Coordinates of all heavy atoms in Angstrom, one line a residue:
M1 N 0.8 -1.1 0.1 CA 0.0 -0.1 0.0 C 0.9 1.2 0.0 O 1.9 1.3 0.7 CB -0.8 0.0 1.3 CG -1.9 1.1 1.3 SD -3.1 0.8 2.6 CE -4.1 2.1 2.3
I2 N 0.4 2.2 -0.8 CA 1.3 3.5 -0.9 C 0.8 4.5 0.2 O -0.4 4.7 0.3 CB 1.1 4.1 -2.4 CG1 1.7 3.2 -3.4 CG2 1.8 5.4 -2.4 CD1 1.4 3.6 -4.9
S3 N 1.7 5.1 0.8 CA 1.4 6.0 1.9 C 0.9 7.3 1.3 O 1.1 7.6 0.2 CB 2.7 6.3 2.8 OG 3.5 7.0 2.1
L4 N 0.2 8.1 2.1 CA -0.4 9.3 1.7 C 0.8 10.3 1.3 O 0.7 11.0 0.4 CB -1.3 10.0 2.7 CG -1.9 11.3 2.4 CD1 -2.8 11.2 1.2 CD2 -2.7 11.9 3.6
T5 N 1.9 10.1 2.1 CA 3.0 11.0 1.7 C 3.6 10.7 0.4 O 3.9 11.6 -0.4 CB 4.1 10.8 2.8 OG1 3.6 11.1 4.1 CG2 5.3 11.7 2.6
E6 N 3.6 9.5 0.0 CA 4.1 9.1 -1.3 C 3.2 9.5 -2.4 O 3.5 10.1 -3.5 CB 4.4 7.6 -1.4 CG 5.1 7.2 -2.7 CD 5.6 5.8 -2.6 OE1 5.7 5.2 -1.6 OE2 5.8 5.3 -3.7
Q7 N 1.8 9.4 -2.2 CA 0.8 9.8 -3.1 C 1.0 11.3 -3.3 O 0.9 11.9 -4.4 CB -0.6 9.6 -2.6 CG -1.0 8.1 -2.6 CD -1.3 7.6 -4.0 OE1 -0.7 8.1 -5.0 NE2 -2.2 6.8 -4.1
W8 N 1.1 12.1 -2.2 CA 1.3 13.6 -2.3 C 2.6 13.9 -3.1 O 2.5 14.7 -4.0 CB 1.4 14.1 -0.9 CG 1.4 15.5 -0.8 CD1 0.4 16.5 -0.7 CD2 2.7 16.4 -0.8 NE1 0.8 17.8 -0.7 CE2 2.2 17.7 -0.8 CE3 4.1 16.2 -0.9 CZ2 3.1 18.9 -0.8 CZ3 4.9 17.2 -1.0 CH2 4.4 18.5 -0.9
K9 N 3.6 13.2 -2.9 CA 4.9 13.5 -3.6 C 4.7 13.2 -5.1 O 5.4 13.9 -5.9 CB 6.1 12.7 -3.0 CG 6.5 13.2 -1.7 CD 7.8 12.2 -1.3 CE 8.3 12.8 0.1 NZ 9.3 11.9 0.5
K10 N 3.9 12.3 -5.4 CA 3.7 12.0 -6.8 C 2.7 12.8 -7.5 O 2.7 12.8 -8.8 CB 3.2 10.4 -6.8 CG 3.5 9.7 -8.1 CD 3.0 8.2 -8.0 CE 3.7 7.3 -7.3 NZ 3.2 5.9 -7.4
H11 N 1.8 13.5 -6.7 CA 0.7 14.1 -7.5 C 0.7 15.7 -7.3 O 0.0 16.4 -8.1 CB -0.7 13.6 -6.9 CG -1.0 12.2 -7.4 ND1 -0.5 11.2 -6.7 CD2 -1.6 11.7 -8.4 CE1 -0.9 10.1 -7.3 NE2 -1.6 10.4 -8.4
Q12 N 1.3 16.1 -6.3 CA 1.2 17.6 -5.9 C 2.0 18.4 -7.0 O 3.1 18.3 -7.3 CB 1.9 17.8 -4.6 CG 1.7 19.2 -4.1 CD 0.3 19.5 -3.6 OE1 -0.5 18.5 -3.5 NE2 0.0 20.7 -3.4
P13 N 1.2 19.4 -7.6 CA 1.9 20.3 -8.6 C 2.9 21.1 -7.9 O 2.8 21.5 -6.8 CB 0.7 21.2 -9.2 CG -0.5 20.5 -8.6 CD -0.1 19.7 -7.4
S14 N 4.0 21.3 -8.7 CA 5.1 22.2 -8.2 C 5.2 23.3 -9.3 O 5.3 23.1 -10.4 CB 6.3 21.4 -8.2 OG 7.5 22.2 -8.0
V15 N 5.2 24.5 -8.8 CA 5.3 25.7 -9.8 C 6.7 26.4 -9.5 O 6.9 26.8 -8.3 CB 4.2 26.7 -9.5 CG1 4.1 27.9 -10.5 CG2 2.8 25.9 -9.6
Q16 N 7.4 26.6 -10.5 CA 8.6 27.3 -10.5 C 8.6 28.5 -11.6 O 8.1 28.2 -12.6 CB 9.9 26.3 -10.8 CG 9.9 25.1 -10.0 CD 10.4 25.3 -8.6 OE1 11.3 26.1 -8.5 NE2 9.9 24.7 -7.7
I17 N 9.3 29.5 -11.2 CA 9.5 30.6 -12.2 C 11.0 30.4 -12.6 O 11.9 30.5 -11.8 CB 9.2 31.9 -11.6 CG1 7.7 32.0 -11.3 CG2 9.6 33.0 -12.6 CD1 7.2 33.2 -10.6
E18 N 11.2 30.2 -13.9 CA 12.5 30.0 -14.5 C 12.6 30.9 -15.6 O 12.1 30.9 -16.7 CB 12.7 28.5 -15.0 CG 12.6 27.5 -13.9 CD 12.7 26.1 -14.4 OE1 13.0 25.8 -15.6 OE2 12.5 25.2 -13.5
G19 N 13.4 32.1 -15.3 CA 13.5 33.1 -16.2 C 12.2 33.8 -16.6 O 11.5 34.3 -15.8
D20 N 11.9 33.8 -17.9 CA 10.6 34.4 -18.4 C 9.5 33.4 -18.4 O 8.4 33.7 -18.9 CB 10.8 35.1 -19.8 CG 11.8 36.2 -19.7 OD1 11.9 36.8 -18.7 OD2 12.4 36.5 -20.8
N21 N 9.7 32.2 -17.8 CA 8.6 31.1 -18.0 C 8.2 30.6 -16.6 O 8.9 30.6 -15.6 CB 9.3 29.9 -18.7 CG 9.5 30.2 -20.2 OD1 8.7 30.8 -20.9 ND2 10.7 29.8 -20.6
I22 N 6.9 30.2 -16.7 CA 6.4 29.5 -15.5 C 6.5 27.9 -16.0 O 6.1 27.5 -17.0 CB 5.0 29.8 -15.2 CG1 5.0 31.2 -14.7 CG2 4.3 28.9 -14.2 CD1 3.6 31.8 -14.4
V23 N 7.0 27.1 -14.9 CA 7.2 25.8 -15.3 C 6.3 25.0 -14.2 O 6.6 25.2 -12.9 CB 8.6 25.3 -15.2 CG1 8.8 23.9 -15.4 CG2 9.5 26.0 -16.2
I24 N 5.4 24.2 -14.6 CA 4.5 23.4 -13.6 C 5.0 21.9 -13.9 O 4.9 21.4 -14.9 CB 3.1 23.6 -14.0 CG1 2.7 25.1 -13.7 CG2 2.3 22.7 -12.9 CD1 1.2 25.4 -14.2
T25 N 5.3 21.3 -12.8 CA 5.7 19.9 -12.8 C 4.7 19.1 -11.9 O 4.4 19.6 -10.8 CB 7.0 19.7 -12.4 OG1 8.0 20.6 -13.1 CG2 7.5 18.2 -12.5
I26 N 4.1 18.0 -12.4 CA 3.3 17.2 -11.5 C 4.1 16.2 -10.7 O 4.7 15.2 -11.4 CB 2.2 16.5 -12.3 CG1 1.5 17.6 -13.1 CG2 1.2 15.8 -11.3 CD1 1.0 18.8 -12.4
G27 N 4.2 16.2 -9.5 CA 5.0 15.4 -8.6 C 6.1 16.2 -8.0 O 6.8 17.0 -8.7
R28 N 6.3 16.0 -6.7 CA 7.5 16.6 -5.9 C 8.3 15.4 -5.6 O 7.9 14.5 -5.0 CB 7.0 17.3 -4.8 CG 6.0 18.4 -5.1 CD 6.3 19.6 -4.4 NE 5.2 20.5 -4.7 CZ 4.8 21.5 -4.0 NH1 5.4 21.7 -2.8 NH2 3.9 22.4 -4.4
D29 N 9.5 15.5 -6.0 CA 10.6 14.3 -5.7 C 10.2 13.1 -6.6 O 11.2 12.5 -7.0 CB 10.6 13.9 -4.2 CG 10.8 15.1 -3.3 OD1 11.6 16.1 -3.7 OD2 10.3 15.0 -2.1
I30 N 8.9 12.8 -6.8 CA 8.6 11.6 -7.5 C 7.8 12.0 -8.7 O 6.7 12.7 -8.5 CB 7.9 10.6 -6.8 CG1 8.5 10.2 -5.5 CG2 7.5 9.4 -7.6 CD1 7.7 9.4 -4.5
E31 N 8.3 11.9 -10.0 CA 7.5 12.3 -11.1 C 6.4 11.3 -11.4 O 6.5 10.1 -11.2 CB 8.4 12.3 -12.4 CG 7.7 13.0 -13.6 CD 8.7 13.1 -14.7 OE1 9.4 14.1 -14.8 OE2 8.7 12.2 -15.6
H32 N 5.2 11.9 -11.6 CA 4.0 11.1 -11.8 C 4.1 10.2 -13.0 O 4.6 10.6 -14.1 CB 2.7 11.9 -12.0 CG 1.5 11.1 -11.8 ND1 1.0 10.5 -12.9 CD2 0.7 10.8 -10.8 CE1 -0.2 9.9 -12.5 NE2 -0.3 10.1 -11.2
P33 N 3.7 8.9 -12.9 CA 3.7 8.1 -14.2 C 2.9 8.6 -15.3 O 1.7 9.2 -15.0 CB 3.1 6.7 -13.7 CG 3.1 6.8 -12.2 CD 3.2 8.3 -11.8
M34 N 3.2 8.3 -16.5 CA 2.4 8.8 -17.6 C 2.2 7.4 -18.6 O 3.0 7.3 -19.6 CB 3.1 9.9 -18.3 CG 3.2 11.2 -17.6 SD 1.5 11.8 -17.1 CE 1.0 12.6 -18.7
Q35 N 1.3 6.6 -18.2 CA 1.0 5.4 -18.9 C -0.6 5.4 -19.2 O -1.2 6.0 -18.5 CB 1.4 4.1 -18.1 CG 2.8 4.2 -17.5 CD 3.0 3.3 -16.3 OE1 2.0 2.8 -15.7 NE2 4.2 3.0 -16.1
E36 N -0.8 4.5 -20.1 CA -2.3 4.5 -20.6 C -3.2 4.3 -19.4 O -4.3 4.8 -19.2 CB -2.6 3.5 -21.6 CG -2.0 3.9 -23.1 CD -2.8 5.0 -23.7 OE1 -3.9 5.3 -23.3 OE2 -2.1 5.6 -24.5
V37 N -2.7 3.3 -18.4 CA -3.6 3.0 -17.4 C -3.6 3.9 -16.1 O -4.4 3.9 -15.3 CB -3.2 1.5 -16.8 CG1 -3.5 0.5 -17.9 CG2 -1.7 1.4 -16.4
H38 N -2.5 4.8 -16.2 CA -2.3 5.7 -15.0 C -1.6 6.9 -15.5 O -0.4 6.8 -15.9 CB -1.5 4.9 -13.9 CG -1.4 5.8 -12.7 ND1 -0.3 5.4 -11.8 CD2 -1.9 6.9 -12.2 CE1 -0.4 6.3 -10.8 NE2 -1.4 7.3 -11.0
L39 N -2.3 8.0 -15.5 CA -1.6 9.3 -16.0 C -2.3 10.5 -15.4 O -3.4 10.4 -14.9 CB -1.7 9.3 -17.5 CG -3.0 9.6 -18.3 CD1 -2.8 10.1 -19.7 CD2 -3.9 8.5 -18.2
I40 N -1.7 11.6 -15.6 CA -2.3 12.9 -15.3 C -3.1 13.3 -16.6 O -2.4 13.4 -17.7 CB -1.2 14.0 -15.1 CG1 -0.4 13.7 -13.8 CG2 -1.8 15.4 -15.0 CD1 -1.2 13.5 -12.5
E41 N -4.3 13.5 -16.5 CA -5.2 13.7 -17.7 C -5.2 15.2 -18.0 O -5.1 15.6 -19.3 CB -6.6 13.2 -17.4 CG -6.7 11.8 -17.3 CD -8.1 11.3 -17.0 OE1 -8.8 11.8 -16.2 OE2 -8.6 10.4 -17.7
T42 N -5.3 16.0 -17.1 CA -5.5 17.5 -17.3 C -4.8 18.2 -16.1 O -4.6 17.7 -15.0 CB -6.9 18.0 -17.4 OG1 -7.6 17.6 -16.2 CG2 -7.7 17.5 -18.6
V43 N -4.3 19.3 -16.5 CA -3.9 20.4 -15.4 C -4.7 21.7 -15.7 O -4.7 22.2 -16.9 CB -2.4 20.7 -15.4 CG1 -2.1 21.8 -14.6 CG2 -1.6 19.4 -15.1
D44 N -5.4 22.1 -14.8 CA -6.1 23.5 -15.0 C -5.5 24.5 -14.2 O -4.9 24.3 -13.1 CB -7.5 23.3 -14.3 CG -8.5 22.4 -15.2 OD1 -8.3 22.4 -16.4 OD2 -9.2 21.6 -14.6
L45 N -5.4 25.7 -14.8 CA -4.9 26.8 -14.1 C -6.0 27.8 -13.9 O -6.7 28.2 -14.8 CB -3.8 27.5 -15.0 CG -3.1 28.8 -14.5 CD1 -2.3 28.3 -13.2 CD2 -2.1 29.3 -15.5
L46 N -6.2 28.2 -12.6 CA -7.4 29.0 -12.2 C -6.8 30.3 -11.6 O -5.8 30.3 -10.9 CB -8.2 28.3 -11.2 CG -8.7 27.0 -11.8 CD1 -8.8 25.9 -10.6 CD2 -9.9 27.1 -12.5
S47 N -7.5 31.3 -11.7 CA -7.2 32.6 -11.2 C -8.1 33.0 -10.1 O -9.4 33.0 -10.3 CB -7.1 33.8 -12.3 OG -7.0 35.0 -11.6
Y48 N -7.7 33.5 -8.9 CA -8.5 33.9 -7.9 C -9.1 35.3 -8.3 O -8.4 36.2 -8.6 CB -7.8 34.1 -6.5 CG -7.6 32.7 -5.9 CD1 -6.5 32.0 -6.1 CD2 -8.5 32.3 -5.0 CE1 -6.3 30.8 -5.5 CE2 -8.4 31.1 -4.3 CZ -7.2 30.3 -4.6 OH -7.0 29.1 -3.9
T49 N -10.4 35.4 -8.2 CA -11.0 36.8 -8.3 C -11.6 37.1 -7.0 O -11.5 36.5 -6.1 CB -12.0 36.8 -9.4 OG1 -13.1 36.0 -9.1 CG2 -11.5 36.2 -10.8
K50 N -12.3 38.3 -6.9 CA -13.0 38.6 -5.7 C -14.1 37.6 -5.3 O -14.3 37.4 -4.1 CB -13.6 40.1 -5.7 CG -12.4 41.1 -5.8 CD -13.1 42.5 -5.7 CE -12.0 43.6 -5.8 NZ -12.4 44.9 -6.0
A51 N -14.7 37.1 -6.3 CA -15.9 36.3 -6.0 C -15.7 34.8 -6.3 O -16.4 34.0 -5.7 CB -17.1 36.8 -6.8
W52 N -14.8 34.4 -7.2 CA -14.8 33.0 -7.6 C -13.4 32.7 -8.2 O -12.5 33.6 -8.4 CB -15.9 32.7 -8.6 CG -15.8 33.4 -9.8 CD1 -15.0 33.3 -10.9 CD2 -16.6 34.6 -10.1 NE1 -15.2 34.2 -11.8 CE2 -16.2 35.0 -11.4 CE3 -17.7 35.3 -9.6 CZ2 -16.8 36.1 -12.1 CZ3 -18.2 36.3 -10.2 CH2 -17.8 36.8 -11.4
L53 N -13.2 31.4 -8.5 CA -12.0 31.0 -9.3 C -12.4 31.0 -10.9 O -13.4 30.4 -11.2 CB -11.5 29.6 -8.9 CG -10.7 29.6 -7.6 CD1 -10.6 28.0 -7.0 CD2 -9.3 30.1 -7.8
L54 N -11.6 31.8 -11.5 CA -11.9 31.7 -13.0 C -10.8 30.9 -13.7 O -9.6 31.0 -13.5 CB -11.6 33.3 -13.5 CG -11.8 33.5 -14.9 CD1 -13.3 33.4 -15.3 CD2 -11.3 35.0 -15.2
R55 N -11.3 30.0 -14.6 CA -10.4 29.1 -15.4 C -9.6 29.9 -16.4 O -10.2 30.6 -17.2 CB -11.1 27.9 -16.0 CG -10.3 26.9 -16.7 CD -11.0 25.9 -17.5 NE -12.2 25.4 -16.6 CZ -12.2 24.4 -15.7 NH1 -11.0 23.7 -15.6 NH2 -13.2 24.0 -15.0
V56 N -8.3 29.8 -16.4 CA -7.4 30.6 -17.3 C -7.0 29.6 -18.5 O -7.1 30.1 -19.6 CB -6.2 31.1 -16.5 CG1 -5.3 31.9 -17.5 CG2 -6.7 32.1 -15.4
K57 N -6.5 28.5 -18.1 CA -6.0 27.6 -19.1 C -6.2 26.1 -18.6 O -6.3 25.8 -17.4 CB -4.5 27.7 -19.2 CG -4.0 29.0 -19.8 CD -2.4 29.0 -19.7 CE -1.8 30.4 -20.3 NZ -1.8 30.4 -21.7
T58 N -6.5 25.3 -19.6 CA -6.5 23.9 -19.3 C -5.4 23.1 -20.2 O -5.4 23.4 -21.4 CB -7.9 23.2 -19.6 OG1 -8.8 23.8 -18.7 CG2 -7.9 21.7 -19.4
F59 N -4.6 22.3 -19.6 CA -3.6 21.6 -20.3 C -4.0 20.1 -20.4 O -4.4 19.6 -19.3 CB -2.2 21.7 -19.7 CG -1.8 23.2 -19.7 CD1 -2.1 24.0 -18.6 CD2 -1.0 23.8 -20.8 CE1 -1.6 25.3 -18.5 CE2 -0.7 25.1 -20.6 CZ -0.9 25.9 -19.5
E60 N -4.1 19.5 -21.6 CA -4.4 18.0 -21.6 C -3.2 17.2 -22.0 O -2.3 17.7 -22.7 CB -5.6 17.8 -22.7 CG -6.8 18.5 -22.3 CD -7.9 18.4 -23.5 OE1 -7.7 17.6 -24.3 OE2 -9.1 18.9 -23.1
F61 N -3.2 16.0 -21.4 CA -2.0 15.2 -21.5 C -2.3 13.8 -22.1 O -3.4 13.4 -21.9 CB -1.4 15.0 -20.2 CG -0.7 16.1 -19.5 CD1 -1.6 17.0 -18.8 CD2 0.6 16.4 -19.7 CE1 -1.0 18.1 -18.3 CE2 1.1 17.6 -19.2 CZ 0.3 18.4 -18.4
K62 N -1.5 13.3 -22.8 CA -1.5 11.8 -23.3 C -0.5 11.0 -22.6 O 0.5 11.6 -21.9 CB -1.3 11.9 -24.8 CG -2.2 12.6 -25.7 CD -1.9 12.5 -27.2 CE -2.7 13.4 -28.0 NZ -1.9 14.3 -28.7
A63 N -0.6 9.7 -22.8 CA 0.2 8.9 -22.0 C 1.8 9.2 -22.3 O 2.6 9.0 -21.4 CB -0.1 7.4 -22.3
E64 N 2.1 9.5 -23.5 CA 3.6 9.6 -23.9 C 4.0 11.1 -23.4 O 5.3 11.3 -23.5 CB 3.8 9.4 -25.3 CG 3.1 10.4 -26.3 CD 1.7 9.9 -26.6 OE1 1.0 9.1 -25.9 OE2 1.2 10.4 -27.6
D65 N 3.3 11.9 -22.9 CA 3.7 13.2 -22.6 C 4.4 13.2 -21.2 O 4.2 12.4 -20.3 CB 2.5 14.2 -22.4 CG 1.8 14.5 -23.7 OD1 2.5 14.3 -24.8 OD2 0.6 14.8 -23.8
E66 N 5.3 14.3 -21.1 CA 6.0 14.4 -19.7 C 4.9 15.2 -19.0 O 4.2 16.1 -19.4 CB 7.2 15.3 -20.0 CG 8.2 15.3 -18.9 CD 9.4 16.1 -19.2 OE1 9.5 16.7 -20.3 OE2 10.3 16.1 -18.4
P67 N 4.9 14.9 -17.6 CA 3.9 15.7 -16.7 C 4.4 17.0 -16.3 O 4.6 17.3 -15.2 CB 3.7 14.7 -15.5 CG 5.0 14.0 -15.4 CD 5.5 13.8 -16.8
K68 N 4.6 17.8 -17.3 CA 5.4 19.2 -17.2 C 4.8 20.1 -18.1 O 4.6 19.8 -19.3 CB 6.8 18.9 -17.3 CG 7.7 20.0 -17.0 CD 9.2 19.7 -17.1 CE 10.1 20.8 -16.8 NZ 11.5 20.4 -16.8
I69 N 4.6 21.4 -17.8 CA 4.2 22.4 -18.6 C 5.1 23.6 -18.4 O 5.5 24.0 -17.4 CB 2.7 22.8 -18.2 CG1 1.8 21.8 -18.2 CG2 2.3 24.1 -19.0 CD1 0.6 22.0 -17.2
T70 N 5.4 24.2 -19.6 CA 6.2 25.4 -19.6 C 5.4 26.5 -20.4 O 5.1 26.1 -21.6 CB 7.6 25.2 -20.1 OG1 8.3 24.2 -19.3 CG2 8.5 26.5 -20.1
F71 N 5.2 27.6 -20.0 CA 4.7 28.7 -20.7 C 5.2 30.2 -20.3 O 5.7 30.2 -19.1 CB 3.2 28.7 -20.7 CG 2.5 28.7 -19.3 CD1 2.2 30.0 -18.9 CD2 2.3 27.7 -18.6 CE1 1.5 30.2 -17.6 CE2 1.8 27.8 -17.3 CZ 1.3 29.1 -16.8
P72 N 5.1 31.1 -21.1 CA 5.6 32.5 -20.8 C 4.9 33.1 -19.6 O 3.6 33.1 -19.7 CB 5.4 33.2 -22.0 CG 5.2 32.3 -23.1 CD 4.6 31.1 -22.5
I73 N 5.7 33.6 -18.6 CA 5.1 34.3 -17.6 C 4.2 35.5 -18.0 O 3.3 35.8 -17.3 CB 6.1 34.8 -16.5 CG1 5.5 35.1 -15.2 CG2 7.0 35.8 -17.1 CD1 6.6 35.2 -14.1
D74 N 4.5 36.1 -19.2 CA 3.8 37.2 -19.7 C 2.3 36.8 -20.0 O 1.5 37.7 -20.3 CB 4.4 37.8 -20.9 CG 5.8 38.5 -20.6 OD1 6.0 38.8 -19.4 OD2 6.5 38.8 -21.6
D75 N 2.0 35.4 -20.1 CA 0.6 35.0 -20.5 C -0.3 35.4 -19.2 O -1.6 35.3 -19.3 CB 0.6 33.6 -20.7 CG 1.1 33.3 -22.0 OD1 1.6 34.1 -22.8 OD2 1.1 32.0 -22.3
L76 N 0.3 35.7 -18.0 CA -0.5 35.8 -16.8 C -0.4 37.2 -16.4 O 0.7 37.8 -16.4 CB -0.1 34.8 -15.8 CG -0.2 33.4 -16.1 CD1 0.2 32.5 -14.9 CD2 -1.7 33.0 -16.5
K77 N -1.4 37.8 -15.7 CA -1.3 39.0 -15.0 C -0.9 38.7 -13.6 O -1.0 37.6 -13.1 CB -2.7 39.7 -14.9 CG -3.3 40.2 -16.2 CD -4.7 40.6 -15.9 CE -5.4 40.9 -17.3 NZ -6.8 41.3 -17.2
S78 N -0.3 39.7 -12.8 CA 0.1 39.4 -11.5 C -1.1 39.0 -10.7 O -2.2 39.7 -10.9 CB 0.9 40.6 -10.9 OG 0.3 41.7 -11.1
G79 N -1.1 38.2 -9.7 CA -2.1 37.8 -8.9 C -2.0 36.4 -8.2 O -0.8 35.9 -8.3
T80 N -3.0 35.8 -7.7 CA -2.9 34.5 -7.1 C -3.6 33.6 -7.9 O -4.7 33.7 -8.4 CB -3.6 34.6 -5.6 OG1 -2.9 35.7 -4.9 CG2 -3.4 33.3 -4.9
Y81 N -3.1 32.4 -8.1 CA -3.5 31.3 -9.0 C -3.6 29.9 -8.2 O -2.8 29.8 -7.3 CB -2.6 31.2 -10.2 CG -2.7 32.3 -11.2 CD1 -1.8 33.5 -10.9 CD2 -3.5 32.4 -12.2 CE1 -1.9 34.6 -11.7 CE2 -3.5 33.5 -13.0 CZ -2.8 34.6 -12.8 OH -2.9 35.7 -13.6
K82 N -4.4 29.2 -8.8 CA -4.5 27.8 -8.3 C -4.1 26.9 -9.5 O -4.7 27.1 -10.6 CB -5.9 27.4 -7.7 CG -6.1 26.0 -7.3 CD -7.4 25.7 -6.7 CE -7.7 26.4 -5.3 NZ -6.7 25.9 -4.3
V83 N -3.3 25.9 -9.3 CA -3.0 24.9 -10.3 C -3.6 23.5 -9.7 O -3.4 23.2 -8.6 CB -1.5 24.8 -10.7 CG1 -0.7 24.5 -9.5 CG2 -1.4 23.8 -11.8
Q84 N -4.4 22.9 -10.7 CA -5.1 21.6 -10.2 C -4.7 20.6 -11.2 O -4.9 20.7 -12.4 CB -6.6 21.8 -10.3 CG -7.3 22.6 -9.2 CD -8.8 22.6 -9.2 OE1 -9.3 22.5 -10.4 NE2 -9.3 22.7 -8.1
S85 N -4.2 19.5 -10.7 CA -3.8 18.3 -11.7 C -4.9 17.3 -11.4 O -5.2 17.1 -10.2 CB -2.3 17.9 -11.4 OG -2.2 17.4 -10.0
R86 N -5.1 16.5 -12.5 CA -6.2 15.4 -12.2 C -5.5 14.2 -12.7 O -5.3 14.0 -13.9 CB -7.4 15.8 -12.9 CG -8.6 14.8 -12.7 CD -9.9 15.3 -13.1 NE -10.1 15.8 -14.4 CZ -10.3 17.1 -14.7 NH1 -10.4 18.0 -13.7 NH2 -10.3 17.6 -15.9
C87 N -5.4 13.2 -11.8 CA -5.0 11.9 -12.1 C -6.2 11.0 -12.4 O -7.2 11.1 -11.7 CB -4.2 11.4 -11.0 SG -3.8 9.5 -11.1
N88 N -6.1 10.1 -13.4 CA -7.3 9.2 -13.7 C -7.5 8.3 -12.6 O -8.7 7.8 -12.5 CB -7.0 8.6 -15.1 CG -6.0 7.5 -15.1 OD1 -5.0 7.7 -14.3 ND2 -6.1 6.4 -15.7
L89 N -6.6 8.0 -11.7 CA -6.9 7.0 -10.7 C -7.0 7.7 -9.3 O -7.6 7.1 -8.4 CB -5.6 5.9 -10.6 CG -5.6 5.1 -11.9 CD1 -4.4 4.1 -11.6 CD2 -6.9 4.4 -12.1
H90 N -6.3 8.7 -9.1 CA -6.2 9.2 -7.7 C -6.7 10.7 -7.5 O -6.4 11.4 -6.5 CB -4.6 9.2 -7.3 CG -4.0 7.9 -7.4 ND1 -3.1 7.5 -8.4 CD2 -4.3 6.7 -6.7 CE1 -2.8 6.3 -8.3 NE2 -3.5 5.8 -7.2
G91 N -7.5 11.2 -8.4 CA -8.2 12.3 -8.2 C -7.5 13.6 -8.5 O -6.5 13.7 -9.2
T92 N -8.0 14.7 -7.8 CA -7.4 16.1 -8.1 C -6.5 16.5 -7.0 O -6.9 16.3 -5.9 CB -8.6 17.0 -8.2 OG1 -9.5 16.6 -9.4 CG2 -8.2 18.5 -8.5
W93 N -5.5 17.2 -7.3 CA -4.5 17.6 -6.4 C -4.2 19.0 -6.8 O -4.1 19.4 -8.0 CB -3.1 16.8 -6.5 CG -3.5 15.4 -6.1 CD1 -4.1 14.4 -7.0 CD2 -3.1 14.7 -5.0 NE1 -4.1 13.3 -6.3 CE2 -3.6 13.4 -5.1 CE3 -2.5 15.1 -3.8 CZ2 -3.3 12.3 -4.0 CZ3 -2.2 14.1 -2.8 CH2 -2.7 12.8 -3.0
D94 N -4.0 20.0 -5.8 CA -3.8 21.4 -6.2 C -2.8 22.0 -5.2 O -2.4 21.6 -4.2 CB -5.1 22.1 -6.2 CG -5.9 22.1 -4.9 OD1 -5.1 22.2 -3.8 OD2 -7.1 22.1 -5.0
D95 N -2.3 23.3 -5.9 CA -1.6 24.1 -4.9 C -1.8 25.6 -5.5 O -2.2 25.7 -6.7 CB -0.1 23.7 -5.1 CG 0.8 24.3 -4.0 OD1 0.2 24.8 -3.0 OD2 1.9 24.2 -4.1
D96 N -1.5 26.5 -4.6 CA -1.6 27.9 -5.0 C -0.3 28.5 -5.2 O 0.8 28.2 -4.6 CB -2.4 28.7 -3.9 CG -3.8 28.3 -3.8 OD1 -4.3 27.5 -4.7 OD2 -4.5 28.7 -2.7
F97 N -0.2 29.6 -6.2 CA 1.0 30.3 -6.2 C 0.7 31.8 -6.6 O -0.4 32.1 -7.0 CB 1.9 29.7 -7.3 CG 1.4 29.8 -8.7 CD1 1.9 30.7 -9.6 CD2 0.5 28.8 -9.2 CE1 1.4 30.8 -10.9 CE2 0.1 28.8 -10.5 CZ 0.6 29.8 -11.3
V98 N 1.6 32.7 -6.3 CA 1.5 34.1 -6.6 C 2.5 34.5 -7.5 O 3.7 34.2 -7.4 CB 1.6 34.9 -5.3 CG1 1.4 36.4 -5.5 CG2 0.5 34.5 -4.2
I99 N 2.1 35.4 -8.4 CA 3.1 35.9 -9.3 C 3.0 37.6 -9.4 O 1.9 38.0 -9.0 CB 3.1 35.5 -10.8 CG1 1.8 35.7 -11.4 CG2 3.5 34.0 -10.8 CD1 1.8 35.5 -12.9
Ligands
LIG1 FE1 -1.9 8.9 -10.0

């Protein structure tokens, strides 16, 4: 049986600012598997507004993809964002970040 800590390490999104880009990786310390039977299906990027969370971008993945996204930081306004990754077996995992 896999511990919750190991599940967290495998599913929790990690957001890094690298130069002019935002890099989102799924998994901390342990990269999430990307196989037909077990993969990250989508990553949603949501923006906090005064009243709700507004979906900004959705990234879709196939089994052969790396569980990683890189996009220009200029695509986003400064503010607070939530990134949600969805595993086909283990549900939704999220984290917040500020730029
Ligand atoms: Fe998973």
